[in-house]
Amino acid sequence: MGRRPFLALATGALVSVLVAVVSALAAAVVDGGATGARPSPPASPPASSARPDTPAREPMGTARPEPAPVLDADFADPEVVKAGGTYYGYATNGGGKNVPVATAPAPAGPWTRTGGDALPALPGWADPGRTWAPDVSARADGSYLLYFTAARKGTDDQCIGAAVAATPAGPFRPGPDPLVCQDGKDVIDPAAFVDADGTRYVLYKREGGGRKAPGGLFLHRTTPDGTKATGSPTQILAKGDDEPSLIEAPALVKQGGRYVLFYAAGVFYSPQYQTRYATSASITGPYTKAPRPLLSTEGYGERVTGPGGADIVHDGTDSFLVFHGITRFRGGEHVERAMYVAPVGWAGGTPVVRGSPVRYEAENGRVYGARVLRDVPGTSGNAVVGYLDNAQCLIDLDVFAPVAGEYEVRVRYANRTGGNAPAEHTLTVDGSAPVAVHYAPDPSAKWRDVTVQVVLPAGWSVLRLAYGVGFAEVDHVDVA
């Protein structure tokens, strides 16, 4: 019978056998791997996909937004902090400023450049023109701490400096010596982190054994005021074989009892530049990388190019990811990068970014009346759900939305009906009115994508794919 649907005929009558296959929660693999605890499902499929613990459906909210810069002029490696009712943004040097500044009343804007320079005077060890990737954090005494990357005079080295100001707008006054520097190696992209016990750290990227070698991400404890590094650094992450070129731009948060480390992979002037994350139960690791990028050019459907340099900001209630995307290529390493802001939800302690796809493997869902087929070439999880051949067959997936609104659901399928016959499933969300998912006729039965629009409430929902017409296998579902 192979992978064709199984139809048992007995004296001309169709015999349907309902099998409850999976009773554990799907390990939802998110463009980064979001997981979350959901109640165990019943032993047989419910009459409606609405679950007892599912809240009442929220109104539509906002439609799925097209990604658009909140600052469309060059504002690379953005960093955002909230002070009072104002958000302050900082960027890599540009427009004659070492650290350009912008402000907004909310993370989504409107953002306005102030024309100011948060770091008007560089320390004596630094050359101008390479003041990169600033990081600003509040200190316990009400002052503000700025970390910045700068070129060390007389060398090709990049080092990290520290500066202090009374207000987030500056001016920040740098100390006389670098915070972190190493002969013959670039040390770049600093990020402050304060743990729950008040211990301060600085994270950064350092080159490897030779100049321009990939290196990795390091964690270094500092003095309580953040102006001096103490002890020895700990490498917490190295480039993986599936990651482009190098890793850089760390940003660390603690969420759901775990440390979540955001970072960029690739080179900043390439469309392959992307944002990833890794998680750990300990600040020093080991960190487990998510299997897919969190943000990528492909994930955004090429509506954002090279999304990276990310920072996470909280407004007291919600989280937002702030990052840059390439808006103009000027040749070689010369690009212009605009600032973007996207809402972030936390699915079991891991991030889900509005507009960037979340992948849910069909075989990890709750499968009723169908079969999980293993070792299937050309599929993302090496497994699919097949034998969806009668009205009792369905797949339930727990999906997560950071905010309520309209989302794009992309189903990866193979139409195995044969000939030029179409196939169809129905899609519901928490028992909503069904939406038809049409699978085009395909004698070759190749893996293809089809996209439909649905409305999701904030948080968890049950997305159900149920048998309709023909015989289609399902590899995975992406929600963006």
Side-chain angles (χ1 to χ4, degrees), residues 297-319:
T297 303
E298 179 184 8
Y300 270 117
E302 300 187 354
R303 292 171 293 180
V304 181
T305 302
D311 178 44
I312 189 80
V313 60
H314 304 276
D315 67 1
T317 303
D318 300 314
S319 299

Side-chain angles (χ1 to χ4, degrees), residues 101-120:
V101 182
T103 59
W111 283 89
T112 304
R113 291 176 178 268
T114 67
D117 188 342
L119 187 65

Side-chain angles (χ1 to χ4, degrees), residues 123-136:
W125 58 266
D127 273 332
R130 292 167 66 187
T131 311
W132 295 347
D135 177 271
V136 175

Side-chain angles (χ1 to χ4, degrees), residues 74-75 92-100 113 115-117:
D74 202 22
F75 206 79
T92 282
N93 58 256
K97 307 293 191 297
N98 292 318
V99 178
R113 291 176 178 268
D117 188 342

Side-chain angles (χ1 to χ4, degrees), residues 90-358:
Y90 312 86
T92 282
N93 58 256
K97 307 293 191 297
N98 292 318
V99 178
V101 182
T103 59
W111 283 89
T112 304
R113 291 176 178 268
T114 67
D117 188 342
L119 187 65
L122 294 177
W125 58 266
D127 273 332
R130 292 167 66 187
T131 311
W132 295 347
D135 177 271
V136 175
S137 60
R139 301 200 300 183
D141 64 0
S143 63
Y144 290 84
L145 176 67
L146 166 68
Y147 289 146
F148 60 93
T149 305
R152 182 164 61 167
K153 288 181 178 178
T155 73
D156 288 330
D157 300 338
Q158 293 277 99
C159 301
I160 293 171
V164 177
T167 71
F172 285 84
R173 308 295 184 187
D177 301 309
L179 177 77
V180 182
C181 204
Q182 185 163 348
D183 292 340
K185 296 181 181 179
D186 281 346
V187 183
I188 64 172
D189 298 348
F193 179 76
V194 182
D195 213 345
D197 63 0
T199 305
R200 266 193 173 269
Y201 299 88
V202 59
L203 296 95
Y204 51 81
K205 180 268 176 78
R206 192 179 77 187
E207 284 181 330
R211 180 160 294 282
K212 306 307 178 187
L217 304 183
F218 287 78
L219 178 77
H220 208 146
R221 189 168 179 169
T222 72
T223 53
D225 65 1
T227 61
K228 291 182 175 59
T230 63
S232 300
T234 300
Q235 183 168 353
I236 56 175
L237 210 66
K239 184 186 103 57
D241 292 339
D242 63 335
E243 294 172 328
S245 307
L246 52 84
I247 59 174
E248 60 184 17
L252 186 65
V253 297
K254 193 171 186 181
Q255 183 71 30
R258 294 193 295 176
Y259 296 89
V260 182
L261 175 64
F262 297 92
Y263 64 99
V267 292
F268 69 89
Y269 52 87
S270 166
Q272 281 67 53
Y273 201 57
Q274 57 194 234
T275 297
R276 291 178 171 253
Y277 76 90
T279 60
S280 175
S282 167
I283 190 170
T284 56
Y287 281 83
T288 301
K289 294 182 178 182
R292 295 167 53 84
L294 181 66
L295 308 178
S296 67
T297 303
E298 179 184 8
Y300 270 117
E302 300 187 354
R303 292 171 293 180
V304 181
T305 302
D311 178 44
I312 189 80
V313 60
H314 304 276
D315 67 1
T317 303
D318 300 314
S319 299
F320 299 86
L321 201 66
V322 181
F323 58 97
H324 68 233
I326 300 170
T327 54
R328 182 177 298 180
F329 292 90
R330 294 187 174 275
E333 298 183 8
H334 302 288
V335 293
E336 290 187 9
R337 292 165 287 173
M339 173 175 149
Y340 294 78
V341 176
V344 176
W346 296 97
T350 54
V352 178
V353 179
R354 175 72 154 132
S356 186
V358 177

Side-chain angles (χ1 to χ4, degrees), residues 17-107:
V17 179
L18 178 63
V19 180
V21 178
V22 179
S23 61
L25 168 66
V29 177
V30 184
D31 253 19
T35 61
R38 294 279 288 174
S40 298
S44 60
S48 165
S49 58
R51 306 244 302 251
D53 67 320
T54 302
R57 291 185 59 78
E58 300 181 29
M60 175 178 284
T62 57
R64 185 177 66 86
E66 290 296 325
V70 295
L71 277 173
D72 56 6
D74 202 22
F75 206 79
D77 303 311
E79 158 79 359
V80 172
V81 297
K82 183 183 181 183
T86 301
Y87 291 82
Y88 291 81
Y90 312 86
T92 282
N93 58 256
K97 307 293 191 297
N98 292 318
V99 178
V101 182
T103 59

